[in-house]
Amino acid sequence: MYLTKEEEKILDGEQGEVTERLFRLLVRLGEIYGADKMIPVGSVQVAGVSYKSIGDPGTEFLEDMASKNTKVKVLTYLNPAGMDLENWKNLGFPKDFAKNQLRIMSAFKKMGIVATSTCTPYLAGNLPRFREHIAWSESSAVSFSNSVIGARTNREGGPSALAAAICGRTANYGLHLWEKRQPSVKVKVDYDLDFNSDFGALGYFVGKQVKNKIPYFTGIKDANTDQLKALGAAMAASGAVALYHIEGLTPEADSVEKKHLETISVGKKEIKETYDKLNSGKDPDIVILGCPHASLREISQLAEKVNGKKLKKPVWICTSRMIKEAAERMGYDEIITKAGGSIVADTCMVVSPIEQMGYKTTGVNSGKAANYLPGFCKQNVVFANIDDLVEGQT
Ligand code: F3S
C-alpha cells in the first residue's frame, strides 16, 4: 500500500507509541482488504461506549490510552452510553453502573472526543458532506451517512474507529470506493408506507432477504429523514446492510448502475408478517421510542399525542443531549414529563441495562430495537406504530 512520507514517519513512531500502534492497525486492515492508500477522514463516530458493552477491560483500556495523553485529530462523536449521563438517578439506573459509565466518559473526554453520545450525530452537530470520507461505527449512523447523505464510510469496529480518530485517517477500501457502492439487488415496494414502524418493518424484512448486499429500492414514493433512518437501522440490524439507494430519493440513486439486478418484491403481506414476527409480547411495562435517536420532529409528535393526558406506564423517548435541549426550549419536555413520560438523553433501550431495572416487556416502534431487545436485554417485544403504542398507555 502506498504511504506518504508523513505516514511512514507515524510508523517510525514520530507521533508516539500509541499513534504508531493504532496506525499499524489501520494499515494492516487496509492490507487485508486490498486498500491502495490511506485517506484523511472528516469525522469519526466511536462505538463501544456503554459500560454494558465494554465492561471493566474496555474501561481500563480507554483509561490507559487517555493517561498517555492520546488526543484525537478530527471531530469525533460517541455512540450512545449506557445511561442518561445527567438524569440517571431519577430514571433508576443502578449506582455502580453509573460510576463506571462516568469513568468511560471521562476517559473519552480526556482524548478530546466530544462527550455527547448519540447514534444520530448528523442531527447533533456532526454532519458530513456528500462524498466526504468518514469513519463511523454505529450501524444505523453508517447506513444514514452512506445512503441519505452520500458520505462514505465502512462500518468501523470500536478499535478501528478510535484508531481513525487518533490518526485522522482510514484505509481506502470498501464503501470509500465508487465501484463498491453499486447496488446488487432491486427491491420493488408495493405498499404505502406510513408510520416510521412501517419503514422499520420493511427494513427488517429486506435486511433478512439481502444480507450484506446493497439494495436499490423502487416504489417508495416519499420518505422523510426519520423514516429513512428507521429503514436503514432495521436493515443494518437484520442484514448488515451499510448502504441502500432509493429511486428518486437518495443522492446516488440516479448515478449507480442498476441494470440486470435480481429483483425481490415486498407488499402488504410481507410487511404484516414482519410485524407479527417481531412481536413476542403483550402489554408492555415500558414503551421506548427513539431508535435511532429521535429527531426534534419525533419528540414534538410524542408531545402532541400525550399533551394533557396521563400515561399508565412509563414512555421514554431516547435522543441526543443536543436535541433534548432543543425539546426543553420548545416546552416538549415539560409536556411529556407532566404526562409521566421522559425524554432520555445519551442512551437507548438496547445499550442501557433495562433488564436490571425490572422491565420485562418493552414496546417499540423500531425494527432495529425489536430485533435486538430479546437477545441483548432479555425483553419480550411489542412492535407497533407510535399511535398504538402511546394510545395504549393513555
Ligand atoms: Fe441507536 Fe440504540 Fe437504536 S444505538 S440505532 S437507539 S439500538
Side-chain angles (χ1 to χ4, degrees):
M1 187 189 337
Y2 169 77
L3 294 180
T4 62
K5 290 236 154 36
E6 193 195 337
E7 288 165 350
E8 274 169 5
K9 281 184 190 160
I10 301 178
L11 288 184
D12 288 341
E14 199 172 73
Q15 294 187 17
E17 180 237 321
V18 175
T19 311
E20 180 204 325
R21 201 158 23 100
L22 294 175
F23 194 58
R24 266 188 209 290
L25 167 77
L26 294 176
V27 171
R28 186 74 197 112
L29 278 174
E31 282 166 354
I32 292 170
Y33 290 105
D36 57 343
K37 59 180 178 180
M38 303 299 290
I39 42 174
V41 289
S43 70
V44 172
Q45 188 229 12
V46 173
V49 178
S50 169
Y51 179 70
K52 180 174 166 179
S53 333
I54 66 169
D56 288 330
T59 311
E60 282 153 21
F61 168 78
L62 292 170
E63 285 179 331
D64 180 53
M65 278 186 68
S67 73
K68 292 182 173 139
N69 211 18
T70 314
K71 299 274 182 227
V72 296
K73 286 203 177 61
V74 293
L75 179 68
T76 304
Y77 270 42
L78 294 172
N79 206 35
M83 63 182 197
D84 186 310
L85 296 165
E86 289 178 16
N87 197 25
W88 58 269
K89 243 186 234 157
N90 291 337
L91 291 164
F93 283 89
K95 215 169 164 185
D96 280 355
F97 184 91
K99 203 172 117 211
N100 288 316
Q101 186 63 64
L102 293 172
R103 277 172 62 198
I104 294 171
M105 298 312 289
S106 133
F108 279 128
K109 217 155 54 175
K110 259 196 202 151
M111 289 189 254
I113 296 176
V114 182
T116 194
S117 285
T118 181
C119 52
T120 57
Y122 47 87
L123 296 179
N126 184 354
L127 178 67
R129 65 161 170 78
F130 182 59
R131 289 192 188 151
E132 185 172 21
H133 295 284
I134 57 176
W136 286 17
S137 297
E138 195 281 317
S139 65
S140 80
V142 165
S143 165
F144 192 92
S145 56
N146 271 322
S147 316
V148 183
I149 300 170
R152 297 185 176 189
T153 181
N154 291 312
R155 184 179 175 196
E156 300 292 342
S160 67
L162 203 52
I166 284 157
C167 303
R169 290 166 169 80
T170 192
N172 191 33
Y173 69 91
L175 294 176
H176 292 287
L177 305 170
W178 174 241
E179 62 271 24
K180 300 282 186 199
R181 299 176 67 84
Q182 305 303 312
S184 41
V185 55
K186 191 181 271 185
V187 182
K188 245 171 90 182
V189 180
D190 183 17
Y191 183 69
D192 279 336
L193 303 157
D194 184 4
F195 291 99
N196 293 6
S197 54
D198 295 344
F199 283 82
L202 172 67
Y204 180 89
F205 177 82
V206 173
K208 283 268 178 226
Q209 302 296 308
V210 308
K211 289 271 180 221
N212 282 309
K213 290 186 180 161
I214 299 176
Y216 179 89
F217 286 91
T218 62
I220 299 179
K221 294 180 200 92
D222 199 8
N224 64 32
T225 44
D226 297 330
Q227 293 165 333
L228 294 175
K229 77 178 161 67
L231 172 70
M235 250 188 309
S238 67
V241 173
L243 166 64
Y244 62 88
H245 305 288
I246 304 180
E247 185 180 51
L249 289 185
T250 58
E252 292 178 337
D254 284 350
S255 21
V256 289
E257 179 54 62
K258 51 245 175 208
K259 280 186 207 139
H260 314 302
L261 297 176
E262 70 163 295
T263 301
I264 60 170
S265 299
V266 188
K268 189 176 177 183
K269 177 174 163 280
E270 288 76 16
I271 299 289
K272 178 164 183 330
E273 280 171 3
T274 305
Y275 270 96
D276 292 344
K277 184 171 175 190
L278 288 174
N279 267 285
S280 52
K282 271 192 191 129
D283 193 17
D285 313 321
I286 183 166
V287 169
I288 313 187
L289 309 169
C291 170
H293 270 177
S295 66
L296 196 57
R297 172 173 43 205
E298 289 172 292
I299 296 176
S300 76
Q301 284 162 353
L302 176 64
E304 203 178 301
K305 283 184 203 307
V306 302
N307 196 3
K309 299 187 177 149
K310 212 68 218 147
L311 292 160
K312 286 191 231 125
K313 304 264 175 70
V315 174
W316 291 3
I317 186 160
C318 299
T319 190
S320 62
R321 178 69 50 192
M322 274 91 153
I323 295 287
K324 178 167 180 181
E325 278 166 10
E328 282 166 359
R329 187 167 287 184
M330 291 305 295
Y332 304 145
D333 189 48
E334 204 185 327
I335 294 171
I336 293 170
T337 310
K338 257 194 195 152
S342 307
I343 302 179
V344 176
D346 314 310
T347 188
C348 80
M349 62 292 266
V350 173
V351 297
S352 62
I354 52 171
E355 67 281 20
Q356 288 176 37
M357 297 162 80
Y359 298 118
K360 293 196 165 49
T361 303
T362 302
V364 293
N365 67 342
S366 157
K368 174 171 177 178
N371 181 63
Y372 283 136
L373 280 170
F376 278 29
C377 305
K378 300 186 182 64
Q379 297 294 296
N380 299 313
V381 168
V382 176
F383 173 63
N385 66 54
I386 184 174
D387 283 0
D388 291 347
L389 285 171
V390 174
E391 271 152 30
Q393 302 308 324
T394 54

